[in-house]
Amino acid sequence: MAEAATIVSNWKDASTWSTAQLPAREQFGRWCEFVNEAHLHWSIERSSFDYFPAFIREGRFGDFRTANLTASPQARVKGTRGTAEIAQDDEALYNFLYIAAGSECLTIDGEDIELLPGNLVLWDSTRPMDFVTGTDLHQVTLAVAHSRLHRIFPRASEFVGKPMSCASGLNKLFIDHLLALENQFGDLTREQAWRVLDTTLNLAVTALENGTEIVKHNGKFELLEKIRKYIDENLDDYELCVASIAKQHSISPRHAHRIFGEEGISVSNYITSRRLDRCKIELASPACSENSITDIAFRWGFNDSSTFSKIFKREFGISPREFRHRNRH
């Protein structure tokens, strides 16, 4: 099986690994260990294989991870992620799992989920799960911290374990983007990386909503998407608020509140989260190095630097000044 190219150094802790580096009898055992190192902790049923050709490539940047994984074409591998395995991981992650080739069966909340080429599913690292690989498995995963996804999509947990096809349309657009990101991300600067990952997350959320029937009713899905787009295009407007949004879309403020409330977030909190993400991008950007933190905060709609710093630290666990320092070195 051909081995993929490596992710270059712009991915923090980037690495690629192949069983071809090991004696045949040691390949499967080491593959199991690397799955735990790169892809959270699992108890994998240890079988005996004469050889186990496979590769894993993984990378990390900020609160995102990527993992590109194959399993032996001849092997069926079983793994369990229960309370003991979950307790070994400090991070809580949502994982967008795409099957590029082969097949895999997941069991989440007692329900079997059969995944074939072109299928995408969301799974949650804090919930027990089993997997069984089919032959010729090749999967690509984008993982994002719970806190990051919840800021723009609080109802993410409702979409866990609901597979969708990515053969065409918007879902295919997301997968094409994801595969390009995984393969070429190392060519980007840190500033570009923040911007691209922000776009990636928005595409992922839209793909989830587009691929299921959970929120698509009575035109609310389309209206929600229009409002989100309007908010993103007007984040620098100090007057952006539920009243101005409602007026722009010919609805009442109460209706706007209701639409976002059904997503588990308020309009004002959604606006704040999107402004914070824009500030993060500019704080990491060399092109904005001459701009003060206050200038950046004011550019994206905050009108008090002290309040901005408190909100930023509460959301990200680090001050804007320290975040800027870390992303310049």
Side-chain angles (χ1 to χ4, degrees):
M1 184 174 295
E3 184 173 343
T6 60
I7 294 176
V8 299
S9 60
N10 290 63
W11 276 107
K12 182 181 178 183
D13 301 326
S15 62
T16 186
W17 175 85
S18 168
T19 59
Q21 302 163 357
L22 299 171
R25 290 285 184 176
E26 299 177 14
Q27 290 177 358
F28 179 63
R30 185 65 186 100
W31 181 86
C32 294
E33 294 171 4
F34 202 94
V35 167
N36 287 327
E37 293 169 11
H39 211 8
L40 302 171
H41 285 86
W42 294 84
S43 289
I44 300 175
E45 187 176 299
R46 297 304 177 105
S47 302
S48 177
F49 298 106
D50 292 333
Y51 70 104
F52 194 87
F55 78 83
I56 299 176
R57 179 172 68 192
E58 67 95 21
R60 307 181 186 191
F61 186 90
D63 43 14
F64 289 85
R65 292 187 185 188
T66 184
N68 186 333
L69 175 151
T70 68
S72 172
Q74 293 79 28
R76 287 175 62 86
V77 181
K78 298 180 180 180
T80 296
R81 183 171 168 81
T83 55
E85 292 76 24
I86 291 171
Q88 296 181 64
D89 293 313
D90 295 330
E91 295 178 280
L93 302 172
Y94 283 112
N95 299 264
F96 294 86
L97 169 63
Y98 174 68
I99 304 298
S103 63
E104 187 170 13
C105 179
L106 308 182
T107 302
I108 301 175
D109 297 333
E111 181 178 351
D112 292 336
I113 304 162
E114 296 287 345
L115 299 173
L116 299 174
N119 288 167
L120 175 74
V121 72
L122 183 71
W123 64 272
D124 180 353
S125 72
T126 67
R127 290 161 67 169
M129 185 173 104
D130 298 328
F131 75 80
V132 180
T133 67
T135 58
D136 293 311
L137 175 66
H138 180 191
Q139 68 179 45
V140 177
T141 300
L142 175 71
V144 58
H146 271 204
S147 57
R148 180 66 177 268
L149 185 55
H150 282 160
R151 285 204 307 275
I152 65 169
F153 194 48
R155 295 178 62 202
S157 63
E158 297 179 30
F159 290 74
V160 169
K162 300 185 181 300
M164 65 190 75
S165 171
C166 295
S168 62
L170 181 62
N171 294 352
K172 186 177 186 301
L173 176 64
F174 168 64
I175 291 304
D176 289 344
H177 172 87
L178 173 60
L179 296 178
L181 170 72
E182 195 279 332
N183 189 52
Q184 302 172 22
F185 193 81
D187 296 333
L188 304 179
T189 65
R190 295 187 67 84
E191 175 194 0
Q192 291 169 338
W194 286 116
R195 293 181 184 275
V196 168
L197 288 169
D198 184 66
T199 298
T200 300
L201 197 56
N202 280 283
L203 275 175
V205 167
T206 305
L208 280 182
E209 293 181 323
N210 182 71
T212 72
E213 298 300 322
I214 293 177
V215 298
K216 294 164 65 177
H217 52 83
N218 298 327
K220 290 182 181 178
F221 171 72
E222 291 80 7
L223 179 57
L224 179 63
E225 283 302 292
K226 288 180 181 179
I227 294 176
R228 283 176 174 165
K229 185 173 184 292
Y230 178 78
I231 288 172
D232 277 357
E233 292 174 348
N234 292 275
L235 290 172
D236 57 348
D237 181 0
Y238 286 95
E239 303 301 320
L240 183 66
C241 63
V242 66
S244 64
I245 291 168
K247 181 178 180 181
Q248 177 67 28
H249 293 85
S250 302
I251 60 176
S252 69
R254 182 178 179 182
H255 188 41
H257 280 303
R258 185 184 305 116
I259 292 172
F260 276 81
E262 291 177 359
E263 295 296 301
I265 191 171
S266 70
V267 179
S268 60
N269 283 345
Y270 183 82
I271 293 171
T272 298
S273 71
R274 300 303 292 148
R275 283 173 167 163
L276 287 171
D277 286 337
R278 292 296 190 277
C279 290
K280 281 181 71 175
I281 290 170
E282 293 203 355
L283 288 169
S285 170
C288 298
S289 60
E290 299 301 317
N291 297 339
S292 70
I293 293 173
T294 298
D295 289 340
I296 291 172
F298 279 30
R299 165 170 160 69
W300 290 109
F302 292 98
N303 54 20
D304 180 271
S305 60
S306 176
T307 300
F308 165 70
S309 294
K310 290 178 181 177
I311 294 173
F312 191 99
K313 187 170 184 178
R314 183 184 66 208
E315 289 294 318
F316 304 122
I318 187 174
S319 71
R321 187 176 304 280
E322 181 61 21
F323 176 83
R324 168 175 263 184
H325 176 76
R326 290 185 184 181
N327 282 275
R328 296 291 178 79
H329 300 86

